[in-house]
Every structure is written in C-alpha cells, then in structure tokens.
Amino acid sequence: MSAALTTSSTMDALIGAYRSHVLGRNLPDPATLDLMPSTREILVQPYGGPDLCSRLGGILVWAYTLTDLTASWSHTAGDRLHVRVNGRTAGGSRITVYGGGAFAECCGLVPLGHDEQEGVTLDELYTLVGLLRESQQHEREVA
C-alpha cells in the first residue's frame, strides 16, 4: 500500500509540475508526454510539424523555458537525428524535451557518423534551425 501511495503522490507532483510549467506559456503541444515516477522526470516530445526544422524549433521553444540545461544530438543506427535537451523547470522538476527526424534532412550540416552522439549547445541547435530554414527558403525560390 505504501508503494502505491508513493507512486500516486509522485504522479500528482509530476502532473502539478507540468501544469505549473506550461501555465501562461505558449509552448508547442506535446506529441507525447510521459511522466516517469520511478525517476521523477517529465519527458516531452513536442509536436513540431512535418519537417526536421519545425521539430527542432519546437524543441528550442521548450528548451528556452528551462534552466540547468544540457543537450545532445545523435545519429542513430536507423539513420535519424535524435536531439535531447535535459533541464529543470523553475520549480526544480527534471524535464527532458526530445525529437528529431531523418538524418538526411540535416543537409550535411551535422558532423556525426552512424551511432555517434555528442553534446551540443542551444546556440548550435539554433544555428542549425536557421540554416535549415535558409535552405528551405532557397528551395522554394528555385521551384
């Protein structure tokens, strides 16, 4: 009975932390939201749209609302770019925001081989989003 009460109170705390964090903020809706009572962590995959640029933009919007940030990107064995940002809400709750897309959409701008992972700054992610937007704009102008 004690474990059930602990899990329930942890879930209540995570739900409260999530609600408190999103209240009054205009954040991209989550495509998935996982509350992990075992690790006391909130996992958010923002819905970002049809392309990598939009999805990374959604991650950045969420990331800029967090503190104590670390981020990484990886080139998965399935030939995808996976970005993960770990941080804390203003109330101190741990939150991970993640997403990505087909590695080919990186247009050669991310220097990772298959199965490689490295730390990345939000500035680097922001720069990648900007370069991808420029590339998309150029493609539209040419078409």
Side-chain angles (χ1 to χ4, degrees):
M1 180 83 152
S2 175
L5 290 176
T6 301
T7 300
S8 178
S9 66
T10 301
M11 286 299 286
D12 288 344
L14 289 171
I15 291 168
Y18 176 78
R19 282 185 178 162
S20 175
H21 187 72
V22 299
L23 187 64
R25 289 190 167 103
N26 188 15
L27 295 169
D29 291 332
T32 63
L33 173 65
D34 295 306
L35 306 173
M36 310 298 288
S38 61
T39 58
R40 299 179 186 270
E41 184 176 15
I42 302 166
L43 306 174
V44 178
Q45 180 184 16
Y47 176 77
D51 57 58
L52 179 63
C53 183
S54 298
R55 289 187 295 276
L56 294 178
I59 292 169
L60 281 170
V61 170
W62 273 87
Y64 286 127
T65 67
L66 304 173
T67 62
D68 298 329
L69 293 169
T70 61
S72 64
W73 56 17
S74 59
H75 184 172
T76 69
D79 212 23
R80 303 200 42 90
L81 176 71
H82 187 263
V83 174
R84 182 179 187 100
V85 176
N86 300 301
R88 291 195 178 271
T89 66
S93 297
R94 292 181 354 171
I95 188 166
T96 297
V97 183
Y98 66 94
F103 197 81
E105 289 186 67
C106 295
C107 303
L109 297 169
V110 177
L112 293 174
H114 277 90
D115 288 331
E116 284 188 346
Q117 176 179 328
E118 69 179 11
V120 65
T121 66
L122 291 188
D123 287 342
E124 289 171 308
L125 288 174
Y126 183 83
T127 299
L128 176 61
V129 169
L131 292 171
L132 292 175
R133 282 196 179 125
E134 286 177 16
S135 175
Q136 289 174 345
Q137 181 65 29
H138 179 71
E139 287 176 9
R140 282 192 292 270
E141 289 172 357
V142 170

